[in-house]
Amino acid sequence: MHRLPFRVATAACVVAASITSPSAQPHPTSAGAPSPQPHPTTQQRPAPSPHPSTGTHPHGASTPATAAKGDATSAVVMTVVAGNGTAGFADGVGGAARFNKPIRLAPFGPDAIVVSDIYNHAIRVVTKDGRVRTLAGAPDRKGHADGPAATARIFSPHGVATTPDGRILVAEAEGHTLRVLTPRANAPGEYDVTTLAGTPETKGNTDGPVAAATFNSPHAVLVAADGAVYTPDIGNASIRRVRSGRVETVAGAAPDTMVYPMDIAWMTDGRMVIADAGANRLRTWTAGAPLGDIQVAGGLATPHGVASGPDGALYVADMKSQRVLKIDPAGAVTTVAGVAGDVGSDDRHLNRPAAVLVHAGWLWIADLDNHRITAVPVSK
């Protein structure tokens, strides 16, 4: 397999961070935007200001960032793996492929990832050599229908995760459900789509049996080693868990409130890290303990995606500052992709980075408004 070359220039500035949270217990480990409307609210959640990235919905029309602009000449040069800045729907290789707001990423085998493609209502696969294929969904199959992937309907897929047995989990932001793509044993490469939890196209905040439970715009999905499934439910400002056929709320109740919990990931010490885009904070969760905080010097500007590296570093898609940040175990914060406050579509700039994933020696980036997938190398 041909590996695309990387060219790396001098990294951007480094500042300090410190991590404070309750002492963590070991936690199982594991293997991620609706139409531009204002975020839903509930009586229980804090009344947020307009979303910091757009003033309405985080995936609506782009607006100029307010951060001071950085120096593009010293920025990391990324590999553009697939997509070319033009919205569309096409499988293919590299720049011939088309996405329409790729939003979340998950590992898929040794050298590929799964991508949720919002406005194409599709689940796609991207390999390291840039080959793109669609597993389920299409722009003309928006909605909710279980069945073979070739005919199933998906509604605004956001979160994606994969399991050791090959299933793909999907959080539907506008469908308000969690879906599952299960490989067909007698048909390699083909999938059946089923509903794991939630009431299709019905907003709510009801815990209980999976078929009766309701969500309000689940934006990511994360699997634990015990099989439990977690999702940040942004319309309810909470973290929900699906386990043993039931849905329960595990974080977000007063006084530990959040604003827009957008993404979640396991840290190497077993805690869950939560990117709260509305509060510009990284929170941590451990069962039975209050929410903790990861304090980042210099602050964050719409942390929309978060991932953990094998060395314990955290990577953050800091949407409004147009950067991807690395927080290493010692607390240093470095810009590893993008230019502060500067939107662009070349190989040094991003346009509202939405998600990050460390996999197969790369840090993969969902470059939302450039409709592409980019990457930079990381240590294995």
Side-chain angles (χ1 to χ4, degrees):
M1 182 179 293
H2 176 64
R3 180 165 177 164
L4 299 175
F6 286 106
R7 292 171 290 135
V8 181
T10 305
C13 62
V14 178
V15 294
S18 62
I19 298 177
T20 59
S21 71
S23 58
Q25 300 173 357
H27 198 286
T29 57
S30 80
S35 59
Q37 300 173 354
H39 272 289
T41 58
T42 67
Q43 292 181 347
Q44 291 77 29
R45 70 183 294 185
S49 57
H51 195 286
S53 66
T54 64
T56 53
H57 195 280
H59 313 131
S62 180
T63 58
T66 57
K69 291 188 177 181
D71 180 8
T73 62
S74 63
V76 173
V77 178
M78 301 173 289
T79 291
V80 178
V81 184
N84 73 349
T86 302
F89 182 66
D91 289 347
V93 180
R98 295 289 185 273
F99 301 90
N100 195 345
K101 293 190 183 293
I103 183 72
R104 292 279 181 243
L105 315 170
F108 188 78
D111 292 304
I113 63 170
V114 175
V115 179
S116 52
D117 191 356
I118 302 173
Y119 293 150
N120 284 323
H121 308 284
I123 305 303
R124 323 284 294 277
V125 168
V126 180
T127 63
K128 289 186 77 172
D129 57 0
R131 289 174 290 125
V132 177
R133 64 187 176 99
T134 300
L135 299 182
D140 61 352
R141 294 207 299 274
K142 171 184 175 180
H144 186 95
D146 288 341
T151 58
R153 292 180 177 270
I154 299 172
F155 199 172
S156 187
H158 279 50
V160 284
T162 51
T163 66
D165 63 3
R167 289 173 297 153
I168 301 169
L169 304 180
V170 179
E172 290 184 316
E174 287 194 80
H176 309 293
T177 59
L178 302 181
R179 312 288 291 280
V180 183
L181 278 65
T182 302
R184 290 185 169 184
N186 58 350
E190 296 186 14
Y191 292 81
D192 288 312
V193 180
T194 56
T195 301
L196 174 66
T199 304
E201 300 180 40
T202 301
K203 297 179 183 180
N205 189 20
T206 304
D207 288 342
V210 291
T214 53
F215 299 91
N216 193 347
S217 197
H219 262 56
V221 64
L222 184 65
V223 184
D226 65 358
V229 176
Y230 294 82
T231 185
D233 191 8
I234 68 166
N236 293 314
S238 63
I239 306 298
R240 315 284 293 280
R241 177 170 62 195
V242 182
R243 186 171 64 175
S244 302
R246 297 185 65 84
V247 176
E248 57 186 329
T249 300
V250 298
D256 275 344
T257 58
M258 295 175 284
V259 182
Y260 294 146
M262 284 283 179
D263 198 14
I264 52 179
W266 297 124
M267 300 173 67
T268 54
D269 64 7
R271 290 176 293 164
M272 178 190 292
V273 58
I274 305 166
D276 187 343
N280 293 320
R281 299 167 73 182
L282 296 181
R283 312 298 301 275
T284 59
W285 175 81
T286 303
L291 291 177
D293 271 293
I294 298 175
Q295 304 293 338
V296 181
L300 297 168
T302 314
H304 194 280
V306 64
S308 181
D311 61 351
L314 292 177
Y315 295 86
V316 179
D318 201 40
M319 181 177 276
K320 192 174 182 181
S321 78
Q322 310 297 343
R323 297 177 297 165
V324 172
L325 305 176
K326 176 183 178 180
I327 307 172
D328 73 19
V333 181
T334 309
T335 297
V336 295
V339 179
D342 202 2
V343 173
S345 58
D346 59 20
D347 57 6
R348 296 175 186 263
H349 289 82
L350 297 165
N351 191 348
R352 300 174 71 227
V356 284
L357 173 70
V358 179
H359 179 59
W362 285 8
L363 174 66
W364 303 74
I365 304 166
D367 192 2
L368 188 75
D369 278 4
N370 279 327
H371 310 288
R372 67 185 187 180
I373 305 298
T374 65
V376 294
V378 295
S379 300
K380 294 184 178 180

